[in-house]
Amino acid sequence: MLRAGTRVRVGWQHSALGQGSDVTACGAPQDEPLRQAWIGPEGVALQVAASPAPEWPEAQCAGWLATARRLLEQAAQLEFAVARIDSLQRSELLRQALYEIADLAGSSLELPVLLRRVHSIVGELMYAENFYIVMFDDHRQTMRFLYFVDQLDPWINDPEQEMPIAEEGNTLTTHLLLSGETLRGPSSELRKQFGISQDDNNGPDSADWLGVPMSRDERVAGALVVQNYRQPNAYSEDDRILLAFVAQHVLTALERREARKQLESRVTERTAELQRANEELQSEVFERQRVQEIQRALFRIAELSLTSESLGHFYAEIHDTVSELLYARNFYIAMLSDDGSMLEFPYSVDERDLERQPRKPADGLTEYVLRTGKALLADQECIARLRAEGKVRTHGSMAYCWLGVPLLREDKVVGVIAVQSYATDVVFNSRDQDLLTFVAFHIGSSLARKQAQDRLVLAHSSLEQRVSERTRELAEANAELVEQIGERMRAERKLIHQTRHDALTGLPNRLQLLERLARAIAAAKDDPHTCFAVLFMDLDRFKLVNDSVGHAVGDELLIEAGRRIVDSVRGGDVVSRLGGDEFAIFAEGLDGPGMAEELGRRILASLSMPVWVAGRELFPSASIGIALWDSRYRSGEEMLRDADAAMYRAKSDGRDRCAMFDEQMHLEAMRSLDMEIDLRRAIQSERFVPYYQPIVRLESGEAVGHEALLRWRHEQLGLLVPGEFLDVGEDSGLIEQIDWLMFAKVIDDMARRVMPGYVAINVSPRHFRMQDFATRLLAMLDDAGVEPSRLRVEITEVALLDDAPRTLDILAQLRRHGVLAQLDDFGTGYSALSYLHRFPIASLKIDRSFVAGLDANGCTESVAVVRAIVALAVSLGIELIAEGVETRHQRERLAELGCEYAQGFLFSPPVPLPGG
């Protein structure tokens, strides 16, 4: 029991609360000496001062002590709260620093300025007066010091200089980069620990050295290092964790800046390429428009032979047509009589000579053209010279400029078409001469082929339609290119967002989807009851939308489809656009495959509702493949692959439906893989052989050549035709090796065996992308001693249009050496007239679909198309071969229509050479 009058004072000292916070009991004065009070491991401890006084009851003193203990416990809680506040302030400082680093990554600051700002940010988090950033290329084993600031080391870094590093790591920096481990402590002790010798060139030792790696995908890409030359143990474990966290964000900032720099460079280059392509397209469009005008004039001339009421009306319409192409105010047509005794003028319009009377052929300018058979472009000086030489004399008014071209019938000059000018400001040129010559040729042909006018009109009409379609396609392509330029400019502003999102729809992209899948797969390995799925969706016939109404409408449809998918799924599901018209949905927390299929059907139902885009009502649909989580999956890419395979199964089953990936699909994928392996083995063992189908003359049945067709002698499956393995060969890239094996065997057969006529080999469009194709093929012919004229290359219209300039060069090089070209499947592609004029095509092959329509009950459209193709081939001087002739009726109809050559099962199926 304390004595009465004992005075008790409780006090403490705290870093946050300060000194002298007191509690006084029983009115004790404030000037009493301070005694100790603290919180120890066993509770509250007190030391009080007692002065002589009457004794106080012990119970009352015990109350004072309990009050003191309670106050000290509150002080301890307050100390913990202050420590918590310190931690939150430090976290906020780190968050602000990382935000500033991310903001710097998207800024346009120069790299040195950006790195100085990063240094300043790190300095706010810890002591960083001595700080450097080093980048590491693990493939080339080099490093670059992007940034270097040191108080004691005078070395100056060159950010562009790449420095090779030794395998053993002769500095702390190289050891850090090669090992990928964080290093902390005095530099001298670290060197001893890792066996690194002292080198004055590497700078002075530091009292405390801290370096952390910058890593990406388990590969070290660089490091951040801070040093303190004065204070040991300056960096704590918290500093190491903090610097490691900052290092990853600095690496992300540097990678984004480098990615943006590369993208800006690619955008600039692509923009320049698109501009050049746009200019070339504009020039080609202009030229096509001019060709279209000429072609329209020729169509009109051909039409006149059917629609004109009389020859006079026919000639007047010819005059109007020529007037649209060049100056023809003074125009006349002169024709020799059937016996050649008179020169008649069935049509003449002239400002001065109102009427031209028939006369016997003499020595006028018209007769000069008739005698020479060549066009004449003459001004007054030229006319005077011809008169002086006694070659011509003037009939009628003297023209200032005269242009006349011969009219031909079966290569015989039968007349002249002439225009002339009396004004000094109207002068004809060589281009007018070429144009009038070209028109005169068609006028003569129209007069000579009166009985074939129906076929010519149909052919010209078809050609005009194809020219118009091709021109419209070029305009659409031009609009698409303009849109792409705009997209590239917008992509520059959305670079950061687009690294993880689709630029068009704003949905997560493939990268973000794979990250989510990777996390889900990692978590599923610990929880066998987890169920999630990937739904791979592809819009049906989306290419038709792009080709018909344009890519801008297609983009709007994609955006609307993305909105509908998002509205159809659950809140936690991830909807991503993988590219083109492909979407993927990642759905977690499923209770089984039924729930995944129900989600797919809900999406299809939402998409099937009509949508108005650019003033058009569209009815989109889609096919969905579903891959459910299974323990065999090791990555998200594998799940996407299987979902993609299931999607193609849905398309093959009729589109607008869902398909679940199952074991059967897995077996089909394995069969495709086995087929590819068999193809590689077959290439090594050369199990590909040529079969030959004859090309015959319809009139006599005599073989004039053969087409070499590819066959595969499979060890288990027997003889396979290209349709059974060509897709696998194209996808794997093995088809080129197979083609060259075929070319070598065909040329070897031509060298060793008697084969009448020529042999045609099928050439894939991918060969025309190789600059040395013609050189390599001609070298094979030369090595085998085979005349190039015995070989022909058979190509499709796709090859002509894929890379027209390069294809033209290759075909021209082959033709110069005697190898002619045949155009396969004519009539099913673009068949542009300008391409037939530009390319050295020796033969056209009528597609078997048109030949099949020539049966007894065949459609009239096939007859009309074949008649047009025959007329076109005759006018261009090109051979014509009909493919797929299987009946005698087809043969007879082709002969009636004027087709000269054919091939098909009626004559012979493809067979190997005897003994082959």
Side-chain angles (χ1 to χ4, degrees), residues 678-693:
D678 291 345
L679 276 176
R680 296 184 185 277
R681 291 174 179 165
I683 292 173
Q684 295 296 328
S685 57
E686 297 187 3
R687 300 193 63 82
F688 298 96
V689 295
Y691 273 47
Y692 297 93
Q693 186 176 36

Side-chain angles (χ1 to χ4, degrees), residues 129-345:
E129 294 295 330
N130 309 294
F131 172 77
Y132 62 85
I133 302 175
V134 59
M135 300 303 293
F136 176 50
D137 188 335
D138 58 346
H139 295 296
R140 301 171 62 181
Q141 289 293 295
T142 60
M143 61 182 178
R144 291 186 299 120
F145 284 87
L146 289 185
Y147 185 78
F148 187 88
V149 172
D150 198 282
Q151 294 175 318
L152 300 183
D153 193 343
W155 181 71
I156 299 176
N157 68 305
D158 181 0
E160 301 299 328
Q161 180 184 6
E162 292 190 356
M163 306 168 61
I165 64 176
E167 290 292 337
E168 63 273 9
N170 56 3
T171 67
L172 290 178
T173 302
T174 55
H175 180 82
L176 168 62
L177 294 175
L178 292 174
S179 66
E181 299 177 354
T182 299
L183 302 181
R184 178 166 63 94
S187 58
S188 58
E189 294 181 6
L190 292 175
R191 283 192 291 98
K192 291 178 182 179
Q193 179 182 350
F194 300 113
I196 301 173
S197 60
Q198 169 65 22
D199 188 347
D200 294 338
N201 294 328
N202 294 332
D205 282 332
S206 56
D208 202 4
W209 196 93
L210 173 60
V212 297
M214 296 188 295
S215 302
R216 180 71 70 204
D217 299 329
E218 299 182 356
R219 291 174 55 190
V220 178
L224 263 63
V225 177
V226 292
Q227 303 180 76
N228 192 318
Y229 290 109
R230 298 187 299 271
Q231 181 182 351
N233 298 320
Y235 301 112
S236 63
E237 178 65 15
D238 289 342
D239 292 331
R240 181 195 67 78
I241 296 173
L242 184 63
L243 190 60
F245 199 50
V246 171
Q248 292 307 113
H249 284 74
V250 170
L251 176 60
T252 301
L254 293 175
E255 288 177 343
R256 287 181 177 176
R257 185 178 184 87
E258 182 64 23
R260 186 179 69 180
K261 182 179 178 181
Q262 293 177 0
L263 182 58
E264 288 174 352
S265 176
R266 291 197 298 270
V267 167
T268 301
E269 293 174 1
R270 183 57 178 160
T271 301
E273 291 174 2
L274 292 174
Q275 288 175 344
R276 288 194 297 271
N278 186 26
E279 293 173 359
E280 293 174 0
L281 284 174
Q282 292 288 1
S283 175
E284 187 174 352
V285 168
F286 176 77
E287 183 62 26
R288 288 179 183 278
Q289 289 175 344
R290 180 177 177 275
V291 171
Q292 187 177 7
E293 291 179 359
I294 297 174
Q295 197 65 40
R296 191 181 298 111
L298 299 181
F299 288 146
R300 185 177 179 186
I301 291 172
E303 184 183 10
L304 291 176
S305 61
L306 292 175
T307 59
S308 297
E309 299 175 358
S310 62
L311 273 179
H313 186 264
F314 172 76
Y315 292 137
E317 293 289 345
I318 291 292
H319 181 197
D320 292 341
T321 303
V322 172
S323 298
E324 296 176 359
L325 303 176
L326 72 161
Y327 179 86
R329 180 175 296 179
N330 306 294
F331 172 89
Y332 68 84
I333 297 175
M335 301 289 295
L336 281 174
S337 60
D338 293 338
D339 58 3
S341 61
M342 292 294 293
L343 183 63
E344 301 172 345
F345 298 91

Side-chain angles (χ1 to χ4, degrees), residues 108 194 572-573 882:
S108 59
F194 300 113
D573 296 339

Side-chain angles (χ1 to χ4, degrees), residues 376-402:
L376 174 62
L377 174 60
D379 55 13
Q380 285 188 342
E381 182 179 350
C382 179
I383 295 173
R385 185 174 65 254
L386 292 174
R387 291 174 60 186
E389 295 173 356
K391 296 181 179 180
V392 301
R393 69 183 182 89
T394 304
H395 292 271
S397 302
M398 182 68 176
Y400 180 77
C401 189
W402 190 90

